[in-house]
Every structure is written in structure tokens, then in C-alpha cells.
Amino acid sequence: MQIREFFAADQVGFPVLSTLIFLPLAWAILVLAIGDEKRARWTALTGALIELFLSLFVLARFTPGTPDVQFAERRAWMPTLGASYHVGVDGMSVLFLPVASMLTVLVLVASWHDVKTRARGFCASLLALSAIVVGIYSSLDLVLFFVFWEASLVPIYFLVSLWGVGPERRYAATKFVLTMLAASGPLLLGIVLLAVAGRQSPADPYTFDWLVLRARPVPAAIGPIVFFTMLTGFAVKGPFVPLHTWMPTMLRECPVGIGVLLTGLKLGSYGVLRFLVPLLPEATAHYAWLLGAVGVTGIVYGALVALVQPNLRRMLSFACLSHVGIVLLGISSGKAEGLTGAVLAMLNLGLSATGLFFLTGFLQSRVGSSEVSALGGVAQKAPRAAVMFLLLSLAGIGVPGTSGFPGEHLVLLSAYETSLPRLGLALLGTILGAAYVLRVFEQVFLGPVTRPRVAAMKDLRPLEWGVVGCLAILVLVVGLYPRPLLAVVGPSAEALARPVPSVVAGHP
């Protein structure tokens, strides 16, 4: 396939992706320089809104119906090493830019009254994380991608250790960073091996350019090694079963905003889609059975554990683990439907799962706990929160008419065409998902009010209502009219689809 590069000047007249990356970093420095906490908050929100506007501008100017890389910018960076500053987006990545920017705005709004100390540092760290995430989604050079990948650990560590809500927040932050650093070793090794394998002769220079490497086949002898080393790095951050042990502790201790970003921005799944599928097509096809097995294991295991969790935050963390399994199942199919469904399932996580995490944080701020036993009868005192929780939960399990349905439907369709056993396990996970949603809703929102704090609680405040309402509207819009998203993602998914069967002999 021929991939045509659009240079930024040809489409919008200025380097819009670089602006999306570096503007929040500059804005974060500005926020730190402001002495007044209230002015710092408004300044941070203004910067986040500008970022959101620019990301929507990119999406509006994006040309659908083509798998081509658009808004590309390429500059010399480290020519001796073979690394360059190369950014661009296609149908597999462009939708994540406005989602990431929107979540940053919503987190700033939701934390307006909750973050009472060191607000400047919180806002600046959040803006820096937003810039880094955009860099991850738009990087077309593997060294540049790795730099952004590692840089994301810095703001996350400070956001969790300084503004976490649990007594073990510093332990959770340290565990997260050390785990991610341990996983970065195999990822970096895989990137280096990929550049080495991409040379057609010993005289050729090394390159880490995504477009160049995609056109160079990786030798069959080294392909599996590169595949598993890179997959390890992505699987830990995914998180994929069984490398998910950092997640429950992290989501229990982190501030609401970081929980929202960790559940909504599935960077590990994106890494598999962006790098393993196009750069290692033969290895990905050969080990598709493994990706599918990990996917359905995550679907069933995550739903089963979520079903018995006594804590709302832990329940959501394992529910997200189940949803990540759906993404992996779609990727493993190697079909355009499955890859498109995987992208849409990731986008649904950015809407439904983040909305549920916001609501859990709002309830915890009122009751002082996210334990299910501390709640009960919440619908009598907060009916709007109950309605929003039910709607977003239904989107999480893929009910028709919500944002979860298009992606899950396409993934199940691809599973039907490739492996009936995996389809059966995925359907079992869907049933279990409905079970834990109904169980939690009954125990938290229905029944009599038995706790004094629940009896004294108030419904969603205007800011909270705006945050959750925005996500709820998007959940319904995407669910009822997904056609524009399909037009953006579909061509890129078709370009990545494997022309060979995804089922390897001996592995269903």
C-alpha cells in the first residue's frame, strides 16, 4: 500500500500537531508562574480548552475515506542515531486526540473544588500529561514514541503521590512507576531490534521511522523476538492479563482525574495497534491465537472479579480489564471489522468508563468511601447520579443505542468469522458484565437509605452534572450515529487487515 504524507502546510498552514504537543507544556510553565491559585486554575482551563479546540480542528480537517497519514511533520533530530521528529495521524489515531483533550478539560472542571492544596502543581502536571499523551498518539518515529512513553511516568507519579485519595497513594505511585520502567526494557529492546532488522544491507543507516519500517519486511527469524519484547512493554501498560497487578491498587489510591485518564486512554492497546500490527504483520498473524486467548481470558476473568468486588473503584478497574480483553479480541482477528471494533471499543472506554469513574469520585467525596457497604439507596438522594450511572454502565456492556455497541458488535462479528470458541467466551463475558452492573446498581443506588452520610448527601452539583452530562451525550450520539467514526477508522483498518486467515493450525 502506498502511504501519502500530507505536510502540515498543505492542510492547515501551520504545524498543528506540534502545537498540540508543545502548547500545553508551555501553558503548564505559565500556570506555575502565576501566584494566585484561582487565576492559575482559570489559566489552566483556558489552555486545556484551546487544546481541545485545536484537536477538534484537526479532526474537522481530517480527510476520511483514506488510510493515508495526514498533518505529517518531519524534522531532523538525531540523524546519527537514525531518529527524527516525525509526527502525523491517520484513522487509527486521530480520534484519540480530541478524546484526550476533552478528558483533560473535564478533569480540570471536576477537580475545581476537590483539589484544595497545591492547585497550580496539579493543573500544570495535568497539562504536561495531556501534551505527552498527544505526543504518544501522533509519534511516527519509534524513538520519539518511546521518549513520550517514558515521559508520561513523571506527571503521573506526582499526581498520584501528592494528590491521591488513599493512604497508600505513594506506594501505588512508586509501584506503578517501577513496574512501567521494568516493562520499558523489553519495549526498548524490541524497538532497537526492529531498527536493526529493518536494514536491507549492513551499509544502510538505522531508521526508526514508522513509514520506512512498514515498507521493510522483518526477517522471520527475528520477528517473534521483536513481537514478544514489544508486546511485553505494551501488555504491562495495557494492562493485559496477567500483567495487570498494578492496576487495582493504582485506581483505588489515585485522584479521580488520573483514574479517568488511566481508564480512558488505553495506551498499551494503542501501541499494539500502531506498531505490532503494521510493522510485524507475520508475527502478529502467527501469534493471533495468543492475543485472542489473552483477550478472552481478560474478558471473563475481569468480569468475574468485578462481580464480587466490594469496592466501586476496584470493580471499575476489573471491568476495564474486561473491556481491554474485547479490544485484544478484535485485534487478534486481523479483520477490518475487528480492528475497527477495537478502536471504537477504546473510544467507548474514554466515554463510559471515565464517566463511571467520575461518578464514583463524586460519591466518594460525599460519603468518604467508595466501599459498596458504605452506600445504598443513593437514588433517593441523588436521582440524577443514579440515571447517569445506569446509562454509562449500559454503554460499558455494549447495549444497543450506546457508544459501546458499535465496537463490541464489530469485535464479536470478527470473532464469529475466526473462532467460535473465543466468540462463546466473549459472550459469556458480556453476560457476566451485565450481572456485575445490575449487582452494583442494586446495592449502591436501590433499596433503603441506611447510612447517615447517604441520607445527608446531595445530588450532582452543576459542574459535576456538566462533566457527566457531556460524556452521556457523547455516549448516545456515538451509539445512535457511529457512521462518521466508521468513515474515519474503516479505511485504516482495511489497510491493516491481514490477507491470510487469522487462525493458525492447532490453535482455535
Side-chain angles (χ1 to χ4, degrees), residues 19 23 44 64 69 88 93 129 139 147 207 209 250 268 329-330 334 338 357 374 376 404 432 439 478 493 503:
T19 305
L23 178 64
V69 173
S93 57
L129 181 59
S139 293
V147 169
T207 181
D209 191 280
M250 185 70 165
L329 180 60
F357 213 90
L432 293 173
R439 167 189 166 273
V478 173
V503 179

Side-chain angles (χ1 to χ4, degrees), residues 197-388:
R199 293 197 302 169
Q200 296 177 332
S201 70
D204 289 340
Y206 293 105
T207 181
F208 295 90
D209 191 280
W210 184 83
L211 292 175
V212 176
L213 292 173
R214 186 170 179 183
R216 296 180 179 179
V218 177
I222 198 173
I225 300 175
V226 178
F227 176 83
F228 280 107
T229 52
M230 296 185 69
L231 178 62
T232 301
F234 295 139
V236 172
K237 202 160 190 172
F240 306 160
V241 173
L243 304 176
H244 65 284
T245 55
W246 61 266
M247 182 187 61
T249 303
M250 185 70 165
L251 291 184
R252 187 186 68 240
E253 303 294 324
C254 69
V256 172
I258 296 304
V260 165
L261 295 176
L262 289 177
T263 54
L265 305 175
K266 290 305 178 186
L267 301 179
S269 304
Y270 174 78
V272 174
L273 270 172
R274 169 54 73 205
F275 298 107
L276 295 188
V277 175
L279 300 185
L280 298 163
E282 293 184 0
T284 304
H286 186 74
Y287 294 105
W289 65 270
L290 177 61
L291 292 177
V294 172
V296 295
T297 301
I299 292 172
V300 177
Y301 171 78
L304 280 173
V305 179
L307 186 60
V308 297
Q309 285 303 307
N311 183 283
L312 272 178
R313 286 196 173 210
R314 287 181 61 86
M315 185 276 290
L316 290 177
S317 68
F318 284 102
C320 289
L321 186 67
S322 183
H323 296 153
V324 170
I326 293 175
V327 175
L328 271 183
L329 180 60
I331 295 173
S332 71
S333 72
K335 293 186 172 293
E337 298 89 347
L339 296 172
T340 302
V343 174
L344 295 184
M346 290 167 64
L347 291 172
N348 176 56
L349 279 173
L351 301 177
S352 62
T354 57
L356 291 172
F357 213 90
F358 271 128
L359 283 169
T360 300
F362 298 154
L363 292 177
Q364 185 173 356
S365 66
R366 288 160 168 77
V367 180
S369 173
S370 58
E371 296 292 327
V372 173
S373 59
L375 300 163
V378 172
Q380 298 183 33
K381 299 297 179 178
R384 289 186 295 186
V387 171
M388 290 296 99

Side-chain angles (χ1 to χ4, degrees), residues 127-141:
L127 288 173
L129 181 59
S130 174
I132 292 168
V133 168
V134 172
I136 291 175
Y137 284 135
S138 58
S139 293
L140 292 179
D141 182 278

Side-chain angles (χ1 to χ4, degrees), residues 101 146 449:
S101 302
F146 187 77
V449 176

